[in-house]
């Protein structure tokens, strides 16, 4: 592959028009991938902790879901991230519900 073909491929992958920008984007994307892996790991950990809570609640005669607590979580995410935070929290709560 020639230098022109490599640069063209890099530009296609990053949308950049210069090598400097392509390199910056490539490095930043690697960092994002690392962050995404950490976020996924944290969500999986949260799911496990949530399952422990649900099991304790159910075995004590309670309900699996505590709606008041879910509203606190939604409010926390909305306050920190705005309206999209609410959607993110809803997805996370959905992932954490009913896993036992």
């Amino acid at each position: 592959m020639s230098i022109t073909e490599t640069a063209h491929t890099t530009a296609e992958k990053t949308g950049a028009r210069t090598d400097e920008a392509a390199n910056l984007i490539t490095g930043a994307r690697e960092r994002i991938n690392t962050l995404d892996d950490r976020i996924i790991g944290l969500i999986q950990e949260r799911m496990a902790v949530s399952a422990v809570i649900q099991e304790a609640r159910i075995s004590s005669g309670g309900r699996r879901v505590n709606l008041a607590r879910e509203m606190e979580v939604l409010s926390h995410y909305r306050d920190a991230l705005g309206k999209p935070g609410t959607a993110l929290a809803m997805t996370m709560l959905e992932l954490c519900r009913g896993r036992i």
Side-chain angles (χ1 to χ4, degrees), residues 12-89:
E12 286 176 354
K13 287 182 180 180
T14 65
R17 295 185 183 237
T18 66
D19 289 341
E20 182 180 353
N23 290 333
L24 179 79
I25 291 167
T26 298
R29 284 182 178 171
E30 289 172 5
R31 179 75 174 124
I32 285 174
N33 290 343
T34 299
L35 290 168
D36 284 344
D37 288 342
R38 287 176 49 199
I39 292 166
I40 290 166
L42 288 169
I43 290 171
Q44 290 170 331
E45 183 177 347
R46 190 189 194 287
M47 290 167 64
V49 173
S50 182
V52 169
I53 292 168
Q54 290 173 55
E55 187 174 313
R57 192 180 297 121
I58 291 168
S59 67
S60 71
R63 300 176 71 167
R64 177 189 332 257
V65 175
N66 180 334
L67 295 178
R69 172 62 181 148
E70 288 197 357
M71 294 305 294
E72 288 175 14
V73 172
L74 291 170
S75 178
H76 180 67
Y77 274 70
R78 183 187 61 247
D79 291 348
L81 303 171
K83 186 176 177 181
T86 304
L88 177 62

